[in-house]
Amino acid sequence: MSKLEKVLDFKIILLITINAIMGTGIFFLPALGAQIAGPASIISWIIIAIISIYVSMCFAELVSMFPKAGGIYEYAKQAFGRFTSFILGWITIVAGNVTIAMLIVGAIQYLLPVNAPVAKIGISILFIVIFNYITYRGMKTSSVMLVAFSIITLATLFSLIIPGLISFHPENLKPFFILPTSAIVLALFYIQETFFGWETTTFLSEETKNPEKVMPKALILGTIIIAIISIVFVTTSLSTIPWQIFGNSVAPLSDLGQMHFGDQAKDVFTLLVYLAIIGSVAGWIVSAPRLLLAMARDRLFITQLASIHPKYKTPYKAIIFQTVLTSALVFIGAGAYQTLLLMLLPLVLVMYCAVLIALVKLRFTKPNLKRPYKAPLGKILPIGVIIILVSMLIMWLVIEENAFGLLRLAFSLIFLGIPLYFMLELYYNPKALRKTYDMLAHVTLATERLSLPMSIRKKTLELLGPVKGKTVLEFGCSVGTLTMPLARAVGKKGKIYATDISKKDIEIVKKRIKKHHHSHVKAIHDNDHHKQVHPSVPNCDHVVSVGNLAHVNDIHQVLKHMSKRLKKHSRIVFVDYEKFFDLIPNKEWLDKDETIKRTFKNAGFTVNIERKQGLAWRYIFIYGQKN
């Protein structure tokens, strides 16, 4: 089985970290900070830098413990379990793809400030496809792209910092405290986004050499470098352009470039800022499919997305999924980009609070777990940071116009993940499946004519062939929808062993057996139905199963159990459902006829396959015999 390839060393992951964390905030937020707090906004940058360096240490400890592709999803799973980790992963997927879509559109708007929405959407999707294709082709190719964008970002900033240091004008920083002290706190709130992005780097852990040591070092050092660059950049910028002018600048970097290098430099720096924004987007596009991969591995997302390309060693199906999702968001978000971007702040703050809580909990619940790096005061300080983050969220609610509406929108997206979680658990988790079937047993009985119409029952029995006087295993009898006509078909001299994972379903089957006097039918409840044929089932002449293949976790094991109980030329018929409302995917091995045939062949069966459209799904008929 293909695995992700470890190709990233410390230097590369450090540059990727800087690019991922610095993002786009450094190009616009210094001006906003100056507008709010004047020269004293430098203090805001120092405070947020200190907080961010400590948060990077918390991420460093977690990634040293769990250097896996899931990143923050993995940390939540270890600390809280499946549900919370899914919700956190879901929040990250939503926030990340919204960010990709919105920033690409914003970058196009920045470069081409004209009213041509269709053209901009087309160009945005083109960039999305190009970056995802580069990601598809492998981490070596992707890392070259990310390193190039990192160098562009750093070069852009240093080209403004160095002349700013040379021609430093301290008089522009006086008086330092022009506005009330509360303005420093307010500026702190608005500039915090500059330091968001640690999670992006953690998704690349499985492709990093010696990640237990390299990732913590890169996260902390990268954050320190960004902190120094940000503080120096803000200070030199405010010394170059008076804060009143700088604070009202729409394109602060372009204005700084014009001040240092003349009018001709303005267009150059406009292009450089555009490339930096695009580079920030590229970082997320490369890393995010690794989160989808991790969730799919744990059966908390579509399991097909866990596939690794045999040649390029990338999660290529997750990359394709991401391409479609982001492109759709570009269309859906048309005209509402500003709203969606404002909505991201509460999502990100919730995400970081969850990560910090996970660190504290793991300190108490798993104190002996190996920690190659350990954040200082990891049981206490993260709580202080959480209080600061929650305070910022409260401040956002007070300051931002229509904040509660945006908060409702953000949490509606979170709650949208809850039914998806239960649907995935039902689809992949035997325990959840058993509970759900038990709960819905009488509903299943009342709707059996819809789920398994008479025409499908008749076709199933026709494919099974003459069964008079035979012994038949009905693997997954549900509430007995097929059991009753099958009992009549085998007659009193035959025998049916009807097994199912649901205790309630079996109780209903037993009542129906008794009512119709089918004493030759034996109903068996099996908690491990997803991975075996019940041990009490003897050798049989034939096997029939309806609606169970998608819920079998170990199909190879189950088919081998059946093969051992059947003699040569024994007939088998499996009927399953696929493409529910064209939304719920198949199990991977049910996608292609060749894979199905190979799976059955390995267990000793030769089968044919037919697919038939039903009411809101398709039926798959798999029938044949033992070789």
Side-chain angles (χ1 to χ4, degrees):
M1 184 179 178
S2 296
K3 294 182 179 180
L4 295 173
E5 196 173 18
K6 292 186 180 293
V7 297
L8 303 175
D9 58 22
F10 172 72
K11 292 179 181 178
I12 293 176
I13 204 68
L14 177 63
L15 285 171
I16 291 174
T17 299
I18 292 171
N19 184 62
I21 297 174
M22 188 175 291
T24 59
I26 192 63
F27 301 114
F28 303 102
L29 298 180
L32 182 58
Q35 185 184 71
I36 296 168
S41 64
I42 296 171
I43 296 176
S44 304
W45 285 93
I46 293 171
I47 294 171
I48 196 64
I50 293 170
I51 294 171
S52 299
I53 290 169
Y54 185 74
V55 173
S56 75
M57 292 176 178
C58 295
F59 269 92
E61 177 174 329
L62 290 166
V63 78
S64 75
M65 295 164 66
F66 311 108
K68 297 184 178 181
I72 57 176
Y73 157 78
E74 184 68 30
Y75 317 147
K77 183 179 73 176
Q78 297 293 335
F80 310 118
R82 289 174 65 84
F83 177 73
T84 304
S85 64
F86 170 82
I87 293 299
L88 192 60
W90 172 253
I91 290 172
T92 310
I93 291 169
V94 170
N97 280 279
V98 167
T99 301
I100 294 171
M102 303 309 106
L103 284 183
I104 283 186
V105 172
I108 301 297
Q109 177 65 34
Y110 186 85
L111 190 65
L112 300 171
V114 293
N115 186 23
V118 176
K120 288 177 183 177
I121 287 174
I123 296 171
S124 298
I125 292 175
L126 177 63
F127 272 107
I128 289 169
V129 172
I130 291 171
F131 286 152
N132 277 284
Y133 177 71
I134 293 171
T135 304
Y136 179 94
R137 290 296 298 262
M139 182 47 72
K140 288 182 179 178
T141 306
S142 301
S143 63
V144 171
M145 174 181 69
L146 295 182
V147 168
F149 279 123
S150 300
I151 292 171
I152 290 171
T153 300
L154 290 172
T156 302
L157 291 170
F158 278 110
S159 66
L160 296 172
I161 288 173
I162 293 172
L165 288 171
I166 294 171
S167 59
F168 194 82
H169 301 288
E171 61 274 12
N172 283 336
L173 301 178
K174 298 175 183 178
F176 193 73
F177 294 101
I178 297 173
L179 300 168
T181 307
S182 59
I184 295 174
V185 179
L186 186 59
L188 182 70
F189 163 74
Y190 279 106
I191 66 174
Q192 62 181 309
E193 188 271 333
T194 303
F195 290 89
F196 290 169
W198 299 281
E199 70 282 358
T200 307
T201 303
T202 63
F203 297 144
L204 303 176
S205 296
E206 283 187 35
E207 289 151 291
T208 302
K209 300 172 185 176
N210 194 14
E212 297 87 351
K213 294 182 179 180
V214 168
M215 293 298 291
K217 187 178 176 182
L219 284 168
I220 297 170
L221 184 58
T223 307
I224 292 172
I225 291 171
I226 293 167
I228 294 170
I229 290 174
S230 299
I231 293 167
V232 174
F233 174 70
V234 171
T235 304
T236 56
S237 298
L238 291 175
S239 80
T240 301
I241 303 177
W243 70 270
Q244 300 93 331
I245 299 172
F246 186 69
N248 291 312
S249 174
V250 177
L253 265 72
S254 298
D255 291 342
L256 283 167
Q258 187 178 23
M259 287 287 293
H260 290 307
F261 304 106
D263 293 341
Q264 68 276 12
K266 189 165 187 174
D267 291 338
V268 173
F269 277 91
T270 298
L271 178 60
L272 288 173
V273 171
Y274 167 77
L275 291 174
I277 296 172
I278 290 294
S280 174
V281 172
W284 179 264
I285 287 176
V286 170
S287 63
R290 277 70 184 170
L291 169 61
L292 294 169
L293 165 71
M295 295 178 70
R297 281 176 180 167
D298 292 337
R299 298 177 182 273
L300 280 177
F301 217 76
I302 305 166
T303 55
Q304 283 90 334
L305 302 188
S307 301
I308 306 292
H309 197 284
K311 179 180 179 181
Y312 300 125
K313 308 300 181 186
T314 55
Y316 67 106
K317 290 185 179 179
I319 293 167
I320 294 170
F321 176 85
Q322 175 180 261
T323 306
V324 175
L325 176 60
T326 313
S327 299
L329 282 171
V330 169
F331 279 105
I332 294 169
Y337 297 127
Q338 187 69 20
T339 301
L340 290 171
L341 279 173
L342 288 171
M343 177 202 69
L344 291 177
L345 182 64
L347 291 176
V348 174
L349 290 177
V350 167
M351 182 172 68
Y352 287 156
C353 285
V355 171
L356 294 169
I357 294 170
L359 174 65
V360 175
K361 184 175 181 183
L362 289 169
R363 280 288 185 96
F364 286 100
T365 58
K366 298 183 180 181
N368 298 322
L369 202 62
K370 184 180 178 183
R371 289 170 167 83
Y373 175 82
K374 201 169 183 178
L377 301 174
K379 293 181 179 179
I380 303 170
L381 274 186
I383 303 301
V385 176
I386 290 169
I387 292 171
I388 293 172
L389 294 179
V390 171
S391 300
M392 288 183 176
L393 183 58
I394 294 170
M395 186 183 295
W396 177 78
L397 289 171
V398 173
I399 295 169
E400 185 62 50
E401 187 180 352
N402 194 31
F404 282 96
L406 292 169
L407 189 65
R408 283 195 298 271
L409 177 60
F411 277 94
S412 68
L413 289 175
I414 294 175
F415 290 131
L416 187 63
I418 295 176
L420 177 60
Y421 167 80
F422 286 109
M423 187 170 66
L424 289 164
E425 285 287 77
L426 174 62
Y427 200 59
Y428 294 119
N429 187 333
K431 186 177 179 180
L433 179 69
R434 183 164 55 249
K435 288 181 178 179
T436 304
Y437 278 2
D438 283 347
M439 184 174 62
L440 298 177
H442 290 284
V443 176
T444 304
L445 179 62
T447 58
E448 65 179 358
R449 290 180 178 273
L450 291 175
S451 59
L452 194 66
M454 292 298 296
S455 60
I456 301 299
R457 297 179 221 178
K458 183 178 178 181
K459 181 177 177 65
T460 303
L461 293 176
E462 286 176 354
L463 291 173
L464 192 59
V467 292
K468 192 76 171 177
K470 302 293 184 179
T471 300
V472 179
L473 166 61
E474 185 186 6
F475 184 76
C477 60
S478 185
V479 293
T481 306
L482 185 67
T483 312
M484 296 301 107
L486 185 60
R488 293 190 293 270
V490 300
K492 297 294 182 180
K493 293 184 179 180
K495 188 74 176 179
I496 295 174
Y497 292 89
T499 65
D500 202 83
I501 195 170
S502 168
K503 188 175 181 179
K504 294 291 184 183
D505 282 357
I506 289 296
E507 289 175 0
I508 291 173
V509 172
K510 286 181 177 179
K511 288 179 182 178
R512 298 180 81 174
I513 290 170
K514 186 177 180 180
K515 179 181 177 181
H516 294 282
H517 307 291
H518 291 320
S519 58
H520 57 296
V521 178
K522 184 176 181 180
I524 303 169
H525 173 238
D526 186 1
N527 273 328
D528 295 321
H529 198 263
H530 59 285
K531 62 181 181 181
Q532 68 169 18
V533 172
H534 197 275
S536 67
V537 176
N539 291 340
C540 301
D541 297 303
H542 308 298
V543 173
V544 64
S545 177
V546 176
N548 276 268
L549 288 180
H551 303 304
V552 171
N553 285 357
D554 193 342
I555 185 62
H556 304 287
Q557 178 83 351
V558 169
L559 289 178
K560 285 179 181 178
H561 282 195
M562 291 178 180
S563 183
K564 287 179 181 178
R565 288 168 169 79
L566 295 172
K567 59 186 178 182
K568 190 176 180 181
H569 302 310
S570 293
R571 289 186 297 280
I572 58 170
V573 178
F574 291 82
V575 182
D576 221 288
Y577 306 91
E578 68 165 351
K579 298 188 179 301
F580 282 81
F581 305 95
D582 285 320
L583 290 176
I584 304 176
N586 300 327
K587 280 289 184 71
E588 300 94 317
W589 71 276
L590 285 173
D591 276 335
K592 296 181 179 179
D593 290 358
E594 309 87 70
T595 309
I596 296 173
K597 289 180 179 179
R598 184 169 60 251
T599 301
F600 275 85
K601 183 178 180 181
N602 290 339
F605 298 102
T606 301
V607 296
N608 296 304
I609 300 163
E610 293 181 21
R611 299 178 191 260
K612 182 178 179 181
Q613 184 62 46
L615 179 65
W617 52 77
R618 281 200 303 179
Y619 296 98
I620 308 175
F621 294 90
I622 304 168
Y623 58 95
Q625 63 182 22
K626 182 178 176 180
N627 294 331

